[in-house]
Amino acid sequence: LGAAMKMVCRPSLAMLLGLAVASPAAAVTPTQQVVNMLTEMKAKGEKEMSQEKLVFAQYAQWADDRSKELGLEIQTQSSRIEELIAVANKADSDAARLGSEIEQLDA
């Protein structure tokens, strides 16, 4: 059993030594991990930045369009206010004139 055990142990030991030797070469160093993480973060940040630029461009276009629409509405409503003020002033002058005519007829 002793010789058989040595035969079983030798391949296992050889495999462990092979793994131990292969491991450092295949393992990623902490510095490489940090570099990989920073690279991934940069790629993610650039992707998010491009998405944010697109969203901002859409918002800026909407804001510009809305500003023009509101400007036009303000001009339209300002004109309407002036028309209504003119109608109200005419109605006041008509009421005063008709009141005078009524007083003349009553006299």
Side-chain angles (χ1 to χ4, degrees):
L1 280 180
M5 187 66 151
K6 286 182 183 179
M7 293 299 278
V8 172
C9 288
R10 281 188 189 145
S12 297
L13 184 59
M15 285 197 282
L16 287 175
L17 288 175
L19 290 175
V21 172
S23 243
V28 177
T29 66
T31 304
Q32 289 172 329
Q33 286 179 339
V34 170
V35 170
N36 289 341
M37 288 172 54
L38 289 173
T39 303
E40 291 170 2
M41 288 172 54
K42 179 182 176 191
K44 182 180 176 183
E46 288 173 347
K47 180 182 174 186
E48 289 177 358
M49 177 63 89
S50 67
Q51 291 172 342
E52 285 295 322
K53 283 182 180 179
L54 177 63
V55 169
F56 179 76
Q58 292 171 342
Y59 171 75
Q61 182 64 45
W62 173 84
D64 186 48
D65 292 346
R66 188 67 180 138
S67 176
K68 289 177 184 176
E69 290 171 7
L70 290 175
L72 182 59
E73 284 183 35
I74 289 170
Q75 288 178 344
T76 302
Q77 296 305 324
S78 294
S79 297
R80 180 73 177 139
I81 289 170
E82 290 174 7
E83 290 172 10
L84 292 174
I85 289 172
V87 168
N89 288 339
K90 184 176 183 312
D92 286 343
S93 66
D94 287 347
R97 181 181 50 86
L98 292 173
S100 298
E101 289 178 12
I102 290 173
E103 285 179 10
Q104 289 175 357
L105 292 173
D106 283 342

XYZ file of all heavy atoms in Angstrom:
800
model
N 0.822 -1.197 0.000
C 0.000 0.000 0.000
C 0.857 1.248 0.000
O 0.479 2.255 -0.550
C -0.918 0.010 1.230
C -2.167 -0.837 1.142
C -2.956 -0.719 2.426
C -2.985 -0.569 -0.049
N 2.016 1.177 0.620
C 2.880 2.350 0.678
C 3.319 2.792 -0.702
O 3.343 3.970 -1.019
N 3.704 1.842 -1.556
C 4.159 2.181 -2.903
C 3.001 2.680 -3.744
O 3.124 3.611 -4.534
C 4.809 0.968 -3.552
N 1.829 2.042 -3.563
C 0.650 2.464 -4.311
C 0.228 3.868 -3.908
O -0.173 4.674 -4.741
C -0.495 1.481 -4.071
N 0.348 4.144 -2.629
C -0.008 5.468 -2.135
C 0.935 6.512 -2.720
O 0.502 7.601 -3.091
C 0.040 5.473 -0.608
C -0.480 6.735 -0.026
S -2.220 6.839 -0.411
C -2.740 7.763 0.965
N 2.221 6.159 -2.811
C 3.175 7.087 -3.401
C 2.855 7.335 -4.860
O 2.996 8.445 -5.352
C 4.594 6.542 -3.255
C 5.132 6.637 -1.862
C 6.546 6.129 -1.802
C 7.051 6.165 -0.368
N 8.417 5.656 -0.277
N 2.380 6.315 -5.581
C 2.044 6.462 -6.989
C 0.822 7.381 -7.146
O 0.769 8.181 -8.058
C 1.750 5.090 -7.605
C 2.954 4.179 -7.683
S 4.239 4.897 -8.687
C 3.649 4.466 -10.281
N -0.126 7.230 -6.240
C -1.325 8.066 -6.297
C -0.977 9.497 -5.919
O -1.463 10.443 -6.505
C -2.425 7.498 -5.364
C -3.589 8.446 -5.256
C -2.864 6.136 -5.865
N -0.086 9.632 -4.949
C 0.282 10.964 -4.479
C 1.139 11.701 -5.480
O 1.050 12.916 -5.586
C 1.024 10.863 -3.147
S -0.068 10.409 -1.793
N 1.974 11.003 -6.212
C 2.866 11.671 -7.159
C 2.094 12.429 -8.238
O 2.382 13.596 -8.474
C 3.838 10.667 -7.769
C 4.956 10.350 -6.845
C 6.006 9.526 -7.509
N 6.947 9.081 -6.514
C 7.567 7.930 -6.515
N 7.348 7.084 -7.505
N 8.395 7.617 -5.574
N 1.111 11.816 -8.884
C 0.376 12.597 -9.878
C -0.359 13.760 -9.225
O -0.405 14.854 -9.781
C -0.594 11.607 -10.496
C -0.015 10.268 -10.237
C 0.760 10.406 -8.951
N -0.894 13.548 -8.071
C -1.599 14.622 -7.398
C -0.653 15.741 -7.046
O -0.958 16.916 -7.234
C -2.271 14.102 -6.129
O -3.230 13.144 -6.466
N 0.525 15.389 -6.552
C 1.513 16.396 -6.208
C 1.977 17.125 -7.456
O 2.118 18.347 -7.451
C 2.693 15.745 -5.475
C 3.770 16.685 -4.973
C 3.180 17.706 -4.015
C 4.884 15.902 -4.308
N 2.166 16.376 -8.512
C 2.596 16.987 -9.770
C 1.526 17.940 -10.293
O 1.825 19.024 -10.783
C 2.904 15.915 -10.795
N 0.282 17.518 -10.167
C -0.804 18.395 -10.618
C -0.870 19.647 -9.770
O -1.059 20.750 -10.277
C -2.139 17.648 -10.574
C -2.300 16.656 -11.712
S -3.984 16.151 -11.969
C -4.212 14.967 -10.669
N -0.710 19.513 -8.459
C -0.742 20.676 -7.579
C 0.399 21.621 -7.897
O 0.217 22.836 -7.933
C -0.685 20.238 -6.111
C -1.965 19.601 -5.564
C -1.724 19.110 -4.136
C -3.104 20.572 -5.596
N 1.573 21.067 -8.126
C 2.709 21.916 -8.481
C 2.461 22.596 -9.828
O 2.791 23.759 -10.009
C 4.004 21.098 -8.507
C 4.540 20.670 -7.146
C 5.763 19.766 -7.340
C 4.893 21.861 -6.301
N 1.895 21.855 -10.749
C 1.584 22.438 -12.059
C 0.567 23.556 -11.929
O 0.690 24.603 -12.557
N -0.438 23.349 -11.091
C -1.434 24.396 -10.879
C -0.826 25.589 -10.165
O -1.144 26.739 -10.476
C -2.627 23.857 -10.078
C -3.531 22.863 -10.808
C -4.587 22.332 -9.854
C -4.173 23.509 -12.013
N 0.032 25.298 -9.214
C 0.653 26.384 -8.466
C 1.542 27.213 -9.375
O 1.608 28.424 -9.264
C 1.447 25.828 -7.294
N 2.232 26.566 -10.281
C 3.087 27.292 -11.210
C 2.242 28.022 -12.243
O 2.531 29.153 -12.605
C 4.079 26.309 -11.894
C 4.844 26.988 -13.007
C 5.025 25.743 -10.856
N 1.161 27.406 -12.715
C 0.305 28.022 -13.723
C -0.549 29.133 -13.126
O -0.893 30.076 -13.797
C -0.580 26.959 -14.360
N -0.880 29.013 -11.881
C -1.766 29.961 -11.234
C -1.257 31.394 -11.263
O -1.979 32.280 -11.665
C -2.022 29.531 -9.795
O -3.369 29.252 -9.618
N -0.037 31.663 -10.849
C 0.404 33.050 -10.857
C 0.388 33.659 -12.249
O 0.071 34.825 -12.413
C 1.815 33.001 -10.296
C 1.864 31.757 -9.486
C 0.937 30.799 -10.187
N 0.709 32.888 -13.259
C 0.715 33.424 -14.617
C -0.711 33.700 -15.089
O -0.957 34.656 -15.800
C 1.418 32.450 -15.552
N -1.661 32.858 -14.689
C -3.039 33.017 -15.142
C -3.818 33.992 -14.276
O -4.801 34.556 -14.708
C -3.735 31.660 -15.133
N -3.403 34.210 -13.054
C -4.128 35.092 -12.144
C -3.957 36.546 -12.557
O -2.955 36.937 -13.133
C -3.639 34.891 -10.717
N -4.961 37.318 -12.228
C -4.933 38.751 -12.515
C -4.426 39.454 -11.265
O -4.911 39.220 -10.162
C -6.347 39.249 -12.891
C -6.342 40.733 -13.128
C -6.874 38.499 -14.102
N -3.480 40.321 -11.449
C -2.920 41.029 -10.305
C -3.896 42.090 -9.831
O -4.771 42.525 -10.592
C -1.578 41.699 -10.676
O -1.841 42.719 -11.639
C -0.582 40.689 -11.220
N -3.772 42.526 -8.587
C -4.667 43.585 -8.090
C -4.600 44.846 -8.944
O -5.606 45.495 -9.188
C -4.162 43.837 -6.672
C -3.549 42.540 -6.257
C -2.944 41.979 -7.516
N -3.409 45.180 -9.422
C -3.263 46.369 -10.273
C -4.033 46.186 -11.574
O -4.719 47.100 -12.034
C -1.773 46.637 -10.579
O -1.071 46.752 -9.354
C -1.593 47.889 -11.404
N -3.943 44.977 -12.139
C -4.692 44.707 -13.360
C -6.192 44.755 -13.099
O -6.959 45.231 -13.944
C -4.300 43.332 -13.925
C -2.911 43.294 -14.513
C -2.485 41.879 -14.880
O -2.894 40.921 -14.234
N -1.658 41.770 -15.915
N -6.605 44.280 -11.941
C -8.027 44.337 -11.594
C -8.502 45.782 -11.519
O -9.574 46.125 -12.019
C -8.279 43.636 -10.258
C -8.202 42.129 -10.331
C -8.427 41.483 -8.975
O -8.259 42.119 -7.933
N -8.780 40.199 -8.981
N -7.691 46.635 -10.903
C -8.049 48.053 -10.807
C -8.114 48.674 -12.192
O -9.046 49.410 -12.519
C -7.050 48.805 -9.896
C -7.260 50.305 -9.983
C -7.181 48.334 -8.457
N -7.134 48.366 -13.034
C -7.124 48.901 -14.402
C -8.356 48.411 -15.155
O -9.018 49.195 -15.856
C -5.817 48.511 -15.131
C -5.908 48.836 -16.621
C -4.633 49.217 -14.502
N -8.686 47.129 -15.007
C -9.880 46.588 -15.667
C -11.140 47.282 -15.159
O -12.024 47.628 -15.950
C -9.986 45.082 -15.440
C -8.933 44.311 -16.203
O -8.341 44.821 -17.150
N -8.680 43.081 -15.788
N -11.237 47.477 -13.855
C -12.407 48.142 -13.285
C -12.515 49.578 -13.797
O -13.605 50.044 -14.147
C -12.341 48.126 -11.755
C -12.592 46.756 -11.155
S -12.292 46.653 -9.374
C -13.298 47.962 -8.727
N -11.392 50.283 -13.850
C -11.405 51.667 -14.346
C -11.797 51.711 -15.815
O -12.540 52.602 -16.240
C -10.052 52.320 -14.120
C -9.702 52.633 -12.665
C -8.263 53.132 -12.562
C -10.651 53.651 -12.090
N -11.310 50.757 -16.587
C -11.667 50.696 -18.003
C -13.159 50.448 -18.167
O -13.821 51.094 -18.993
C -10.863 49.581 -18.704
O -9.462 49.829 -18.513
C -11.166 49.522 -20.187
N -13.696 49.522 -17.378
C -15.126 49.248 -17.430
C -15.932 50.471 -16.993
O -16.957 50.797 -17.597
C -15.472 48.050 -16.549
C -14.949 46.731 -17.080
C -15.088 45.588 -16.069
O -15.635 45.810 -14.963
O -14.632 44.475 -16.393
N -15.467 51.139 -15.947
C -16.166 52.343 -15.463
C -16.145 53.434 -16.526
O -17.135 54.136 -16.730
C -15.527 52.846 -14.164
C -15.821 51.974 -12.967
S -14.900 52.428 -11.470
C -15.297 54.136 -11.275
N -15.009 53.574 -17.207
C -14.899 54.592 -18.259
C -15.874 54.283 -19.388
O -16.581 55.175 -19.865
C -13.472 54.636 -18.795
C -13.294 55.654 -19.898
C -11.879 55.642 -20.451
C -11.799 56.606 -21.622
N -10.566 56.462 -22.363
N -15.920 53.023 -19.809
C -16.837 52.630 -20.885
C -18.282 52.869 -20.467
O -19.087 53.392 -21.245
C -16.618 51.165 -21.250
N -18.606 52.513 -19.238
C -19.972 52.724 -18.735
C -20.292 54.211 -18.672
O -21.376 54.647 -19.068
C -20.112 52.098 -17.347
C -21.493 52.211 -16.762
C -21.577 51.579 -15.384
C -22.940 51.784 -14.775
N -23.022 51.253 -13.417
N -19.339 55.004 -18.198
C -19.542 56.456 -18.121
C -19.734 57.081 -19.492
O -20.586 57.952 -19.676
N -18.935 56.640 -20.466
C -19.070 57.172 -21.820
C -20.423 56.802 -22.421
O -21.046 57.608 -23.099
C -17.932 56.664 -22.702
C -16.595 57.298 -22.363
C -15.427 56.676 -23.110
O -15.588 55.583 -23.711
O -14.344 57.281 -23.089
N -20.876 55.569 -22.165
C -22.182 55.141 -22.663
C -23.290 55.979 -22.038
O -24.182 56.470 -22.728
C -22.394 53.662 -22.343
C -23.720 53.121 -22.814
C -23.890 51.665 -22.422
C -25.287 51.168 -22.761
N -25.532 49.818 -22.265
N -23.216 56.160 -20.716
C -24.234 56.965 -20.037
C -24.190 58.415 -20.503
O -25.231 59.056 -20.636
C -24.049 56.876 -18.526
C -24.421 55.520 -17.957
C -24.171 55.395 -16.468
O -23.668 56.362 -15.847
O -24.469 54.330 -15.906
N -22.976 58.928 -20.753
C -22.843 60.309 -21.224
C -23.504 60.476 -22.592
O -24.204 61.470 -22.828
C -21.371 60.701 -21.312
C -21.149 62.097 -21.858
S -21.836 63.380 -20.818
C -20.463 63.671 -19.773
N -23.305 59.518 -23.486
C -23.927 59.630 -24.802
C -25.447 59.558 -24.685
O -26.162 60.271 -25.395
C -23.401 58.554 -25.750
O -23.806 57.272 -25.341
N -25.946 58.721 -23.774
C -27.388 58.652 -23.558
C -27.909 59.969 -22.982
O -28.964 60.463 -23.392
C -27.740 57.491 -22.631
C -27.514 56.127 -23.255
C -27.689 54.986 -22.260
O -27.654 55.191 -21.051
N -27.838 53.776 -22.767
N -27.176 60.541 -22.041
C -27.586 61.812 -21.435
C -27.566 62.935 -22.475
O -28.431 63.809 -22.466
C -26.677 62.174 -20.259
C -26.943 61.353 -19.020
C -28.319 61.606 -18.434
O -28.795 62.755 -18.436
O -28.939 60.630 -17.975
N -26.571 62.923 -23.368
C -26.520 63.944 -24.418
C -27.750 63.840 -25.311
O -28.322 64.860 -25.703
C -25.245 63.792 -25.250
C -24.010 64.310 -24.566
C -22.793 64.181 -25.456
C -21.558 64.697 -24.752
N -20.354 64.570 -25.587
N -28.152 62.621 -25.625
C -29.332 62.417 -26.461
C -30.582 62.921 -25.745
O -31.387 63.651 -26.327
C -29.485 60.939 -26.812
C -30.716 60.567 -27.635
C -30.664 61.234 -29.002
C -30.803 59.059 -27.794
N -30.732 62.563 -24.491
C -31.896 62.995 -23.716
C -31.904 64.522 -23.592
O -32.949 65.169 -23.766
C -31.905 62.331 -22.318
C -32.944 62.973 -21.416
C -32.166 60.841 -22.451
N -30.736 65.109 -23.328
C -30.670 66.570 -23.196
C -30.999 67.252 -24.520
O -31.696 68.273 -24.538
C -29.301 67.018 -22.709
C -29.197 68.511 -22.583
C -29.791 69.164 -21.516
C -28.555 69.270 -23.543
C -29.736 70.544 -21.395
C -28.488 70.644 -23.434
C -29.081 71.281 -22.363
N -30.518 66.693 -25.635
C -30.814 67.284 -26.944
C -32.313 67.257 -27.206
O -32.882 68.234 -27.709
C -30.060 66.543 -28.042
N -32.954 66.147 -26.847
C -34.408 66.056 -27.016
C -35.120 67.068 -26.121
O -36.065 67.729 -26.550
C -34.899 64.646 -26.696
C -34.444 63.613 -27.703
C -34.757 62.192 -27.255
O -35.007 61.929 -26.092
N -34.729 61.260 -28.199
N -34.661 67.195 -24.888
C -35.271 68.160 -23.967
C -35.060 69.587 -24.465
O -35.987 70.400 -24.432
C -34.687 68.003 -22.565
C -35.118 69.110 -21.635
C -36.401 69.132 -21.113
C -34.258 70.156 -21.317
C -36.820 70.158 -20.284
C -34.672 71.189 -20.495
C -35.944 71.186 -19.981
O -36.344 72.214 -19.173
N -33.856 69.887 -24.921
C -33.564 71.239 -25.407
C -34.449 71.573 -26.610
O -34.960 72.697 -26.718
C -32.088 71.364 -25.769
N -34.654 70.603 -27.496
C -35.523 70.826 -28.658
C -36.956 71.065 -28.205
O -37.632 71.967 -28.698
C -35.451 69.618 -29.607
C -36.276 69.795 -30.859
C -35.769 70.931 -31.724
O -34.578 71.066 -31.949
N -36.673 71.761 -32.211
N -37.426 70.261 -27.250
C -38.781 70.442 -26.728
C -38.927 71.816 -26.089
O -39.920 72.517 -26.307
C -39.100 69.354 -25.696
C -40.402 69.585 -25.009
C -41.637 69.244 -25.449
C -40.603 70.253 -23.750
N -42.598 69.643 -24.546
C -41.994 70.273 -23.496
C -39.741 70.826 -22.822
C -42.529 70.847 -22.353
C -40.283 71.397 -21.688
C -41.656 71.408 -21.456
N -37.929 72.215 -25.285
C -37.992 73.510 -24.605
C -38.008 74.647 -25.629
O -38.754 75.620 -25.475
C -36.814 73.663 -23.645
N -37.205 74.524 -26.671
C -37.167 75.556 -27.704
C -38.507 75.636 -28.437
O -39.047 76.731 -28.638
C -36.033 75.248 -28.695
C -35.834 76.348 -29.710
O -35.773 77.536 -29.293
O -35.759 76.041 -30.920
N -39.046 74.476 -28.802
C -40.346 74.450 -29.480
C -41.445 75.030 -28.583
O -42.270 75.822 -29.022
C -40.728 73.018 -29.876
C -39.830 72.458 -30.968
O -39.095 73.238 -31.612
O -39.854 71.217 -31.165
N -41.424 74.628 -27.328
C -42.446 75.098 -26.377
C -42.330 76.610 -26.166
O -43.343 77.305 -26.061
C -42.305 74.354 -25.052
C -43.410 74.627 -24.084
C -44.736 74.069 -24.572
N -45.751 74.361 -23.583
C -46.966 74.773 -23.870
N -47.344 74.888 -25.127
N -47.823 75.046 -22.920
N -41.099 77.106 -26.108
C -40.879 78.535 -25.935
C -41.460 79.315 -27.115
O -42.115 80.353 -26.929
C -39.379 78.811 -25.800
O -39.131 80.182 -25.723
N -41.246 78.803 -28.318
C -41.803 79.461 -29.508
C -43.334 79.421 -29.480
O -43.987 80.414 -29.805
C -41.274 78.789 -30.770
C -39.815 79.075 -31.034
C -39.301 78.330 -32.244
C -37.815 78.567 -32.424
N -37.255 77.780 -33.525
N -43.889 78.257 -29.095
C -45.351 78.140 -29.014
C -45.925 79.120 -28.007
O -46.929 79.798 -28.280
C -45.742 76.715 -28.608
C -45.498 75.666 -29.663
C -45.700 74.252 -29.138
O -46.158 74.092 -27.975
O -45.413 73.300 -29.877
N -45.296 79.206 -26.841
C -45.798 80.121 -25.811
C -45.653 81.572 -26.237
O -46.517 82.397 -25.947
C -45.077 79.864 -24.486
C -45.416 78.538 -23.803
C -44.547 78.346 -22.565
C -46.885 78.471 -23.439
N -44.551 81.889 -26.909
C -44.363 83.254 -27.414
C -45.472 83.630 -28.381
O -46.022 84.741 -28.319
N -45.821 82.706 -29.269
C -46.899 82.949 -30.226
C -48.238 83.091 -29.508
O -49.037 83.968 -29.828
C -46.959 81.819 -31.254
C -48.007 81.957 -32.352
C -47.782 83.240 -33.160
C -47.971 80.746 -33.269
N -48.471 82.231 -28.516
C -49.719 82.327 -27.743
C -49.805 83.661 -27.009
O -50.878 84.269 -26.953
C -49.812 81.178 -26.746
C -50.179 79.845 -27.365
C -50.322 78.746 -26.327
O -50.785 79.028 -25.200
O -49.980 77.601 -26.655
N -48.694 84.119 -26.453
C -48.687 85.398 -25.738
C -49.025 86.532 -26.701
O -49.829 87.415 -26.374
C -47.330 85.628 -25.049
C -47.179 84.679 -23.861
C -47.165 87.081 -24.609
C -45.785 84.653 -23.254
N -48.427 86.519 -27.894
C -48.725 87.567 -28.873
C -50.201 87.530 -29.274
O -50.859 88.570 -29.360
C -47.858 87.394 -30.128
C -46.410 87.747 -29.927
C -45.583 87.511 -31.180
O -46.011 86.819 -32.097
N -44.382 88.081 -31.208
N -50.702 86.320 -29.506
C -52.111 86.173 -29.903
C -53.033 86.672 -28.802
O -53.988 87.428 -29.069
C -52.421 84.695 -30.226
O -51.538 84.257 -31.259
C -53.849 84.505 -30.659
N -52.760 86.266 -27.577
C -53.619 86.664 -26.463
C -53.477 88.157 -26.159
O -54.451 88.793 -25.750
C -53.328 85.822 -25.221
C -53.649 84.344 -25.409
C -55.088 84.101 -25.865
O -56.019 84.798 -25.464
N -55.266 83.107 -26.718
N -52.295 88.720 -26.355
C -52.123 90.170 -26.162
C -52.976 90.934 -27.162
O -53.624 91.926 -26.813
C -50.651 90.564 -26.315
O -49.884 90.007 -25.284
N -52.998 90.464 -28.405
C -53.842 91.101 -29.424
C -55.318 90.964 -29.046
O -56.094 91.919 -29.191
C -53.616 90.456 -30.792
O -52.290 90.648 -31.210
N -55.672 89.810 -28.549
C -57.064 89.575 -28.143
C -57.446 90.489 -26.983
O -58.559 91.028 -26.948
C -57.232 88.095 -27.748
C -58.604 87.720 -27.318
C -59.557 87.657 -28.486
N -60.855 87.207 -27.981
C -62.007 87.703 -28.377
N -62.047 88.628 -29.300
N -63.122 87.262 -27.861
N -56.536 90.680 -26.038
C -56.794 91.577 -24.897
C -57.028 92.999 -25.399
O -57.955 93.685 -24.951
C -55.631 91.522 -23.889
C -55.641 90.180 -23.151
C -55.699 92.688 -22.915
C -54.397 89.938 -22.305
N -56.180 93.442 -26.348
C -56.349 94.793 -26.893
C -57.704 94.939 -27.579
O -58.377 95.966 -27.447
C -55.207 95.116 -27.862
C -53.865 95.298 -27.184
C -52.724 95.477 -28.173
O -52.982 95.600 -29.394
O -51.574 95.483 -27.714
N -58.116 93.888 -28.317
C -59.427 93.925 -28.979
C -60.547 94.013 -27.947
O -61.490 94.799 -28.111
C -59.624 92.665 -29.830
C -58.759 92.595 -31.065
C -58.859 91.243 -31.766
O -59.752 90.428 -31.406
O -58.045 90.999 -32.665
N -60.441 93.219 -26.882
C -61.486 93.227 -25.855
C -61.521 94.555 -25.108
O -62.614 95.041 -24.759
C -61.288 92.057 -24.886
C -61.519 90.669 -25.491
C -61.147 89.577 -24.496
C -62.954 90.514 -25.960
N -60.379 95.151 -24.878
C -60.342 96.475 -24.224
C -61.013 97.509 -25.132
O -61.801 98.350 -24.661
C -58.888 96.884 -23.882
C -58.377 96.020 -22.729
C -58.793 98.360 -23.542
C -56.890 96.206 -22.423
N -60.750 97.420 -26.432
C -61.381 98.341 -27.373
C -62.899 98.141 -27.384
O -63.671 99.120 -27.391
C -60.808 98.141 -28.775
N -63.334 96.892 -27.362
C -64.783 96.611 -27.330
C -65.389 97.147 -26.037
O -66.477 97.749 -26.048
C -65.038 95.090 -27.481
C -66.480 94.734 -27.154
C -64.667 94.626 -28.883
N -64.697 96.942 -24.909
C -65.209 97.432 -23.622
C -65.268 98.956 -23.624
O -66.255 99.548 -23.134
C -64.327 96.931 -22.485
N -64.244 99.625 -24.146
C -64.247 101.098 -24.213
C -65.380 101.597 -25.109
O -66.052 102.577 -24.786
C -62.904 101.626 -24.716
C -61.802 101.474 -23.694
O -62.054 101.338 -22.489
N -60.562 101.467 -24.156
N -65.612 100.916 -26.249
C -66.708 101.310 -27.136
C -68.042 101.107 -26.428
O -68.947 101.950 -26.534
C -66.668 100.501 -28.434
C -67.741 100.941 -29.420
C -67.628 100.194 -30.722
C -68.607 100.648 -31.747
N -69.992 100.796 -31.361
N -68.162 99.992 -25.701
C -69.409 99.732 -24.971
C -69.630 100.809 -23.918
O -70.764 101.288 -23.728
C -69.368 98.344 -24.327
N -68.561 101.234 -23.214
C -68.692 102.309 -22.223
C -69.131 103.613 -22.895
O -70.016 104.318 -22.390
C -67.363 102.531 -21.482
C -67.066 101.439 -20.473
O -67.997 100.692 -20.101
O -65.885 101.336 -20.049
N -68.506 103.960 -24.025
C -68.873 105.212 -24.700
C -70.295 105.123 -25.259
O -71.060 106.103 -25.206
C -67.874 105.562 -25.802
O -67.934 104.618 -26.847
N -70.666 103.928 -25.780
C -72.044 103.747 -26.268
C -73.041 103.881 -25.119
O -74.104 104.502 -25.267
C -72.214 102.384 -26.943
C -71.536 102.295 -28.298
O -71.135 103.355 -28.833
O -71.391 101.167 -28.816
N -72.714 103.313 -23.963
C -73.603 103.397 -22.802
C -73.730 104.854 -22.355
O -74.837 105.320 -22.025
C -73.071 102.531 -21.667
N -72.627 105.589 -22.347
C -72.678 107.006 -21.950
C -73.490 107.800 -22.965
O -74.320 108.648 -22.593
C -71.261 107.559 -21.832
N -73.275 107.554 -24.244
C -74.010 108.269 -25.286
C -75.503 107.955 -25.205
O -76.345 108.854 -25.236
C -73.469 107.882 -26.670
C -74.147 108.600 -27.828
C -73.588 108.154 -29.181
N -73.534 106.711 -29.361
C -74.565 105.964 -29.811
N -75.723 106.521 -30.085
N -74.430 104.666 -29.967
N -75.808 106.673 -25.049
C -77.223 106.294 -24.963
C -77.865 106.831 -23.685
O -79.043 107.204 -23.681
C -77.369 104.766 -25.048
C -77.012 104.152 -26.413
C -77.018 102.625 -26.324
C -77.974 104.640 -27.477
N -77.075 106.879 -22.593
C -77.590 107.479 -21.357
C -77.919 108.949 -21.570
O -78.954 109.446 -21.084
N -77.086 109.671 -22.304
C -77.337 111.076 -22.614
C -78.591 111.220 -23.478
O -79.417 112.129 -23.250
C -76.147 111.707 -23.358
O -75.012 111.681 -22.572
N -78.706 110.335 -24.448
C -79.873 110.411 -25.320
C -81.168 110.118 -24.531
O -82.209 110.759 -24.766
C -79.753 109.425 -26.490
C -78.713 109.815 -27.516
C -78.564 108.805 -28.634
O -79.415 107.872 -28.774
O -77.582 108.927 -29.403
N -81.097 109.197 -23.620
C -82.274 108.881 -22.783
C -82.633 110.108 -21.939
O -83.808 110.455 -21.792
C -81.999 107.631 -21.918
C -81.944 106.383 -22.795
C -83.052 107.476 -20.824
C -81.506 105.123 -22.085
N -81.610 110.739 -21.356
C -81.888 111.941 -20.537
C -82.515 113.034 -21.381
O -83.417 113.740 -20.914
C -80.566 112.454 -19.904
C -80.082 111.624 -18.756
C -78.771 112.157 -18.180
O -78.346 113.277 -18.550
O -78.168 111.434 -17.378
N -82.063 113.177 -22.624
C -82.643 114.202 -23.491
C -84.097 113.874 -23.841
O -84.946 114.759 -23.918
C -81.826 114.358 -24.763
C -80.492 115.010 -24.557
C -79.652 115.038 -25.857
O -80.088 114.502 -26.884
N -78.492 115.614 -25.772
N -84.339 112.577 -24.047
C -85.707 112.162 -24.371
C -86.625 112.316 -23.180
O -87.832 112.620 -23.326
C -85.740 110.725 -24.906
C -85.090 110.506 -26.269
C -85.046 109.008 -26.588
C -85.849 111.244 -27.357
N -86.100 112.091 -21.982
C -86.904 112.232 -20.769
C -87.185 113.720 -20.462
O -88.192 114.020 -19.856
C -86.202 111.596 -19.568
C -86.306 110.077 -19.570
O -87.186 109.552 -20.284
O -85.495 109.416 -18.876
N -86.378 114.586 -20.913
C -86.546 115.988 -20.578
C -87.558 116.693 -21.413
O -88.393 116.490 -22.076
C -85.219 116.725 -20.738
